[in-house]
Amino acid sequence: GAGVSQSPSNKVTEKGKDVELRCDPISGHTALYWYRQSLGQGLEFLIYFQGNSAPDKSGLPSDRFSAERTGGSVSTLTIQRTQQEDSAVYLCASSTPFRTSGRMYFGPGTRLTVL
Amino acid sequence: AQSVTQLDSQVPVFEEAPVELRCNYSSSVSVYLFWYVQYPNQGLQLLLKYLSGSTLVKGINGFEAEFNKSQTSFHLRKPSVHISDTAEYFCAVRGSGAGSYQLTFGKGTKLSVIP
């Protein structure tokens, strides 16, 4: 079946502009994660959604970052007033409710470049 | 909270030679351990995971890893590498408790297979 999809695949923006990144999780997956992958820094947790529970926003680096998940499916990560240090690959992942498997399925990512 | 250390940022190895990618973790609770692989311009794929039971875990593409609780390690091995194994490999850890959902990643090891 279809995997996790993300759009756009690449986004180039000017410093100070707002951007929206979209994630379509695998159908039926109630858990959704956003991670950021910066060069040489590995993957940094940003935010986690599980069903109708309040999201875990503990990884968001500043109040310029926000995310929502509509209808328990599609998620949008918004970065306001982008800065050059926001340049990175933003990865979305989804999974079934946590049990012992713990397998997360990752999307291909959105490469954000802030000029 | 957990942390992951991947001791080598880059590992060059000749084709058909064995390889070991090192991973050490730190955690105050029991953990699940994972290795993910990211091929050039692709998303992350699960290579293998340790949840419980046998400490030797076999994954896809001939990779295996051994969980060593006393040394808090989860090194990844392959007896004979192929050109197609060139990729970045990420070790990850998650607490095994009911409320644990966040995957913490290492910074990655880039494996380059030399023909």
Side-chain angles (χ1 to χ4, degrees), chain A residues 1 3 5 13 22 33 53-54 58 66 68-69 82 88-89 94 96-97 99-100 105-106 111-112 114:
Chain A
S5 61
T13 190
R22 177 188 169 103
Y33 307 74
S53 302
S58 61
S66 62
E68 63 177 20
R69 190 177 184 191
T82 52
V89 176
S94 70
T96 54
R99 293 189 180 90
T100 58
Y105 293 80
F106 284 83
R111 182 176 297 278
L112 175 66
V114 182

Side-chain angles (χ1 to χ4, degrees), chain B residues 3-114:
Chain B
S3 66
V4 178
T5 302
Q6 291 185 244
L7 297 167
D8 305 299
S9 59
Q10 297 189 57
V11 172
V13 63
F14 286 104
E15 191 175 16
E16 298 184 3
V19 69
E20 178 179 83
L21 306 183
R22 296 180 292 172
C23 172
N24 287 87
Y25 69 93
S26 173
S27 176
S28 58
V29 298
S30 297
V31 296
Y32 296 145
L33 294 154
F34 305 81
W35 276 98
Y36 280 82
V37 58
Q38 186 175 35
Y39 297 104
N41 301 315
Q42 294 187 28
L44 275 79
Q45 302 175 33
L46 181 66
L47 199 56
L48 50 77
K49 60 188 177 186
Y50 170 79
L51 304 180
S52 64
S54 173
T55 56
L56 183 63
V57 179
K58 295 188 183 298
I60 61 172
N61 300 338
F63 283 92
E64 63 181 32
E66 185 156 19
F67 170 55
N68 187 319
K69 187 174 182 179
S70 63
Q71 296 186 6
T72 60
S73 68
F74 191 54
H75 300 332
L76 181 70
R77 303 184 182 98
K78 186 169 182 177
S80 175
V81 295
H82 190 266
I83 294 290
S84 60
D85 294 323
T86 294
E88 190 159 18
Y89 293 79
F90 293 92
C91 182
V93 63
R94 167 192 267 173
S96 61
S100 298
Y101 49 78
Q102 187 183 135
L103 209 57
T104 300
F105 287 86
K107 293 188 176 182
T109 298
K110 289 186 179 178
L111 174 64
S112 298
V113 181
I114 305 163

Side-chain angles (χ1 to χ4, degrees), chain A residues 50-90:
Chain A
Q50 173 56 57
N52 295 321
S53 302
D56 176 358
K57 305 178 182 180
S58 61
L60 295 179
S62 77
D63 59 7
R64 296 186 295 105
F65 287 72
S66 62
E68 63 177 20
R69 190 177 184 191
T70 54
S73 180
V74 172
S75 177
T76 302
L77 177 68
T78 301
I79 309 173
Q80 295 178 311
R81 305 181 302 282
T82 52
Q83 303 294 313
Q84 288 183 333
E85 61 262 29
D86 299 335
S87 295
V89 176
Y90 290 81

